[in-house]
Amino acid sequence: MIHAAYVGRFAPSPTGPLHFGSLITAVASYCEAKSHHGRWLVRIEDTDIPRIYPNSEQHILACLEAFEFEIDDQIIFQRQRLACYEQVLAQLAELDLVYACQCTRKMLGSNHIYAGTCRNLHLDWSHQAIRLKVNQQRICFDDALQGTQCSHLEQELGDFVLKRRDGIINYQLAVVVDDYLQQVSHVVRGADLLDNTARQIYLGQCLNYPELQYMHLPLAMNAQGQKLSKQNLAQAIQIEQAPQLLKQALQALGQPEVDLDRPRLMLAQAIAQWDSALIPKGTQIKAIFD
């Protein structure tokens, strides 16, 4: 199959229903991909099975249908791809880049930088967390909105977890593997995930994956100055208000006005006049959309 040069994606987690902040990400990633004559994929990131919120997956799928997004391939669900992630862990083990860790949160305390306590203990993998070894390399990338970003994982984080003690595949591993397997070239997502990017770039380098291009969007804030999120009980998207909400999302992204119409026609108009340079700079959107 011949793929377009630009492949974008929207990858919500079903830990709660979609809210307005999620809609902003969906609209931005969609318009950015389609304006580049690229493909737009949807992935449900549901490896953290205990945190899945009842009916949230159905709400996500219903929203995608109501807003009439045109998805360019089958929607994939990470919980159905666990064997892929285990194969990559085995690949990393062959390269001596991962190890088993018996440290619990209680043992680690408030220290956010892992000291490599278990790195050379050669523990059995069963019922242990699996960590990726980091090195002294400085990771830098140019974000399309946030500018140049640099991190030193060894000094700021230490070896980080790819698989938890309870067997749950960590987000960092699943997202890197799936972006590679889906041939994603560009990632458009919220600025709350900005500090994950260096980890994902480093893991991709360990696996010899091509580096992606990133755009981290400013976050929509509620009246209390908190980002709209499931943890802050952001209101679920009301599907029957899809045209009005789509219009608000485009306004929040600084885009030219679109006519209030069917979402499919509004999105077509938005793509035709899309300009990512108009997206507000910084990590927060001042306007309040609750």
Side-chain angles (χ1 to χ4, degrees):
M1 179 183 289
I2 298 175
H3 293 280
Y6 189 114
V7 181
R9 47 76 157 177
F10 175 56
S13 299
T15 52
L18 283 192
H19 52 75
F20 187 75
S22 307
L23 178 62
I24 287 175
T25 300
V27 170
S29 62
Y30 183 83
C31 291
E32 183 73 5
K34 298 294 186 178
S35 68
H36 284 88
H37 308 288
R39 301 169 69 241
W40 188 72
L41 312 178
V42 172
R43 180 171 73 230
I44 306 299
E45 298 194 332
D46 54 357
T47 57
D48 198 348
I49 296 171
R51 293 186 62 229
I52 294 176
Y53 189 84
N55 301 317
S56 57
E57 184 179 291
Q58 292 87 336
H59 182 258
I60 291 169
L61 299 177
C63 286
L64 292 169
E65 183 176 354
F67 283 88
E68 300 185 295
F69 292 109
E70 293 183 5
I71 306 169
D72 292 309
D73 207 338
Q74 182 179 0
I75 297 174
I76 70 169
F77 299 81
Q78 286 186 331
R79 69 176 183 273
Q80 298 172 355
R81 300 164 65 81
L82 301 181
C84 293
Y85 313 136
E86 293 290 350
Q87 288 174 1
V88 173
L89 280 175
Q91 180 183 349
L92 290 166
E94 289 178 2
L95 296 170
D96 193 29
L97 292 175
V98 291
Y99 61 93
C101 173
Q102 63 186 355
C103 298
T104 63
R105 288 186 179 181
K106 184 176 181 180
M107 292 167 62
L108 295 174
S110 59
N111 187 2
H112 299 295
I113 303 174
Y114 185 69
T117 307
C118 297
R119 184 186 268 220
N120 299 313
L121 295 184
H122 307 292
L123 300 170
D124 186 82
W125 277 37
S126 58
H127 307 296
Q128 309 287 12
I130 306 302
R131 289 185 182 269
L132 178 70
K133 298 176 182 177
V134 300
N135 57 29
Q136 298 179 0
Q137 179 183 358
R138 194 163 177 253
I139 302 291
C140 294
F141 65 98
D142 291 320
D143 188 88
L145 282 180
Q146 307 300 332
T148 301
Q149 306 288 318
C150 292
S151 296
H152 196 303
L153 293 176
E154 186 181 53
Q155 296 177 3
E156 299 169 11
L157 181 69
D159 300 340
F160 58 92
V161 173
L162 297 182
K163 184 179 180 181
R164 295 182 349 203
R165 290 167 59 87
D166 59 6
I168 298 294
I169 295 294
N170 187 277
Y171 163 75
Q172 311 295 347
L173 175 62
V175 70
V176 169
V177 172
D178 282 334
D179 280 342
Y180 172 71
L181 293 177
Q182 292 188 283
Q183 298 188 326
V184 169
S185 62
H186 291 71
V187 174
V188 178
R189 59 188 181 188
D192 53 334
L193 293 171
L194 191 60
D195 63 356
N196 287 272
T197 308
R199 277 173 271 184
Q200 292 163 17
I201 290 174
Y202 176 74
L203 175 56
Q205 290 175 348
C206 291
L207 293 164
N208 201 30
Y209 292 171
E211 191 165 326
L212 310 182
Q213 300 296 312
Y214 292 92
M215 176 187 292
H216 285 85
L217 304 165
L219 304 175
M221 312 300 286
N222 64 20
Q224 290 73 45
Q226 303 167 316
K227 73 169 184 175
L228 295 185
S229 68
K230 297 153 190 171
Q231 289 80 8
N232 293 327
L233 304 178
Q235 181 180 350
I237 286 174
Q238 301 299 309
I239 290 175
E240 64 277 6
Q241 297 177 12
Q244 294 84 355
L245 289 170
L246 181 54
K247 190 177 181 73
Q248 288 182 352
L250 289 164
Q251 289 172 346
L253 288 164
Q255 299 303 301
E257 286 285 320
V258 296
D259 300 323
L260 196 63
D261 207 324
R262 280 193 57 181
R264 178 174 58 83
L265 299 176
M266 295 173 70
L267 285 170
Q269 185 180 356
I271 292 164
Q273 58 195 27
W274 179 257
D275 185 355
S276 60
L278 298 175
I279 299 174
K281 299 297 186 288
T283 57
Q284 297 182 2
I285 292 175
K286 299 295 184 182
I288 304 299
F289 294 97
D290 246 334

